[in-house]
Amino acid sequence: MPELKCPSCEQPLQLNGNAWLCTNGHRFDRARRGYTNLLLAQHRRSRSPGDDKAMVRARTEFLQLGRYQPLADALLKDLPSQPDGDWLDLGCGEGWYTEQFARQLGSAQGAGVDISKFAVDSAAKRDKTLTWLVASGARLPLFDASLSRVIVLFTRLFTDDIARVLRPGGELIVAGTGASHLMPLREALYEDVRQSGFDASKFLDDRFCAIDEKVIQFDWQPQSEQELHNLLTMTPHHWRAKPSAKAEIGKLTGATMNAHFVIQRFRKQ
Ligand SMILES: C[S@@+](CC[C@H](N)C(=O)[O-])C[C@H]1O[C@@H](n2cnc3c(N)ncnc32)[C@H](O)[C@@H]1O
Ligand SMILES: [Zn+2]
């Protein structure tokens, strides 16, 4: 597994019983669920940063329906079929994708990091061997050039720290939404639908070179109002859309919904 760095003094952490300790006496207890909180109070902008409980629950309920499996399959196809070094799922959320990556890349070699303790608490249930951490992507508790692969799905790109922890030749895999993602949902929520797709290269610089880009598109029919509400709650539209529009979203039950994703791969120079 990737060696962990003490967030207070940057010395290596050693696991002793159920606590991570550094030689300067800093101590971080591993929760019973199997994750460790390495986010220091002074590095938090709010008391509970990241996704809240309701968002985490909505994401779990939606993802377990398997609607986004074609995306997970496309990501898995781009990964080596067996472990080849330490890897990180950055902004891992409640771990639905992370658990699938671990089957290929190895649980013992992997870490899932998210700033939301609710998300990591839920993710840790999935795989006890993986290293699950509450930490910020802007300040990863990992050493320089220690990782072969960093995967970032639908989370902000913290370019400097990703560049720091990837070894030269290591890979960054990013998934984001394409311009037409969830178009029927967005048309139901907004009078004026903004056409914008995510492009990771806008956030990266010459420390990374592009390997390839894949577009994944598919349709499905949401089967219940609950499914649509869960889908809405796990997207930024949850904050942006008017409550009156959100309340109506159940009317899309049985209608065709579309997914439009872009997977981009980069090599650390
Ligand atoms: C849209 S969710 C994606 C979760 C997961 N990758 C997935 O696709 O299911 C974005 C995640 O980024 C996390 N996040 C937000 N700010 C973060 C930060 N500074 N460092 C690490 N994670 C962060 C949130 O808590 C949330 O779980
Ligand atoms: Zn320390």
Side-chain angles (χ1 to χ4, degrees):
M1 62 167 284
E3 192 174 29
L4 303 184
K5 184 166 93 167
C6 174
S8 294
C9 70
E10 308 211 330
Q11 291 303 302
L13 289 172
Q14 307 280 355
L15 188 62
N16 192 326
N18 261 332
W20 288 98
L21 306 168
C22 76
T23 49
N24 290 322
H26 299 121
R27 177 195 170 104
F28 303 89
D29 288 328
R30 195 162 62 165
R32 211 163 345 136
R33 194 90 102 190
Y35 71 91
T36 307
N37 190 341
L38 294 180
L39 186 64
L40 300 179
Q42 63 264 38
H43 296 153
R44 275 193 321 228
R45 293 226 185 97
S46 70
R47 243 187 119 229
S48 293
D51 280 11
D52 63 24
K53 235 182 199 163
M55 293 172 79
V56 170
R57 193 178 324 116
R59 178 166 289 115
T60 299
E61 283 182 14
F62 177 80
L63 289 174
Q64 76 191 12
L65 297 175
R67 306 286 191 226
Y68 283 3
Q69 192 60 47
L71 170 64
D73 289 343
L75 287 159
L76 290 166
K77 220 168 140 195
D78 275 347
L79 296 174
S81 53
Q82 40 193 331
D84 79 334
D86 290 337
W87 59 278
L88 167 68
D89 185 357
L90 178 46
C92 63
E94 52 69 71
W96 185 77
Y97 297 95
T98 328
E99 184 180 22
Q100 300 189 54
F101 301 148
R103 283 189 216 125
Q104 246 173 260
L105 297 176
S107 297
Q109 288 82 357
V113 166
D114 200 286
I115 205 166
S116 158
K117 65 169 188 263
F118 304 111
V120 179
D121 180 79
S122 181
K125 281 188 279 186
R126 295 178 178 273
D127 185 330
K128 296 287 175 206
T129 318
L130 229 134
T131 301
W132 299 103
L133 303 170
V134 178
S136 171
R139 208 184 278 270
L140 290 166
L142 299 166
F143 286 93
D144 298 3
S146 59
L147 299 176
S148 293
R149 204 163 268 100
V150 175
I151 306 166
V152 185
L153 312 179
F154 314 111
T155 302
R156 211 178 112 192
L157 276 177
F158 298 94
T159 308
D160 287 341
D161 235 31
I162 294 170
R164 182 181 68 74
V165 298
L166 268 177
R167 65 166 172 75
E171 256 183 47
L172 168 65
I173 298 131
V174 187
T177 52
S180 70
H181 186 55
L182 305 181
M183 195 45 89
L185 183 91
R186 287 154 63 198
E187 282 170 351
L189 292 174
Y190 308 110
E191 275 163 27
D192 221 0
V193 175
R194 270 188 288 159
Q195 285 279 356
S196 63
F198 181 80
D199 178 5
S201 60
K202 284 192 194 143
F203 303 92
L204 301 175
D205 52 33
D206 60 8
R207 289 173 288 183
F208 297 87
C209 77
I211 303 173
D212 57 17
E213 185 168 315
K214 238 193 312 200
V215 175
I216 312 292
Q217 288 187 281
F218 55 88
D219 294 339
W220 84 99
Q221 281 81 37
Q223 290 303 304
S224 68
E225 290 198 17
Q226 189 60 50
E227 177 177 345
L228 284 151
H229 282 289
N230 287 337
L231 178 62
L232 177 62
T233 306
M234 63 184 249
T235 69
H237 308 300
H238 171 56
W239 294 300
R240 277 188 217 137
K242 286 192 198 134
S244 54
K246 292 203 291 184
E248 296 275 299
I249 212 71
K251 69 181 181 207
L252 295 175
T253 305
T256 295
M257 188 59 68
N258 75 307
H260 179 189
F261 299 116
V262 182
I263 302 173
Q264 294 170 289
R265 292 199 296 170
F266 301 87
R267 194 168 306 291
K268 167 81 199 312
Q269 305 274 38

